[in-house]
Amino acid sequence: MTASGGRPDGKMEEAARLAAKRVRRLREDPEPSFASRLGQIGVLGWAIVAPILIGVAVGRWLDWALKTGIFFTAPLIMLGAAAGLWTAWRWMHRQ
């Protein structure tokens, strides 16, 4: 109520309306569980690591076959890292 005893305070009504809206939103779209978050972290980790490992494997094989030291391994690691980070970036923005 206002100080004069008239209508209920508009600020209180607005606060109650916002609280009800928050509760409704949480019911409709709940926060992901802890296990779900861990799963997402695992997917992101593998999305970055897998292309790097593929780059290492292909680079080592090319270096072995062509007897070139680490001529192919180093750039393929960098390309794998770039591909993995780009893939992870795209996946995060789709979530």
Side-chain angles (χ1 to χ4, degrees):
M1 302 274 272
T2 59
S4 63
R7 287 189 64 227
D9 193 350
K11 291 180 182 180
M12 189 66 108
E13 287 178 5
E14 182 63 23
R17 194 174 7 265
L18 287 175
K21 186 177 179 180
R22 270 194 304 269
V23 168
R24 236 181 290 119
R25 193 175 336 122
L26 281 174
R27 283 187 188 139
E28 293 169 359
D29 188 24
E31 186 72 22
S33 68
F34 181 71
S36 175
R37 292 284 187 195
L38 282 178
Q40 289 175 346
I41 292 168
V43 167
L44 277 176
W46 280 109
I48 296 169
V49 171
I52 294 171
L53 293 177
I54 291 169
V56 169
V58 171
R60 292 294 294 159
W61 179 77
L62 284 171
D63 287 336
W64 173 81
L66 301 173
K67 311 241 187 285
T68 55
I70 61 166
F71 184 76
F72 289 104
T73 303
L76 287 177
I77 288 173
M78 298 300 172
L79 285 175
L85 291 170
W86 180 69
T87 302
W89 180 266
R90 280 189 24 221
W91 185 81
M92 284 182 357
H93 284 282
R94 275 188 272 150
Q95 294 299 320

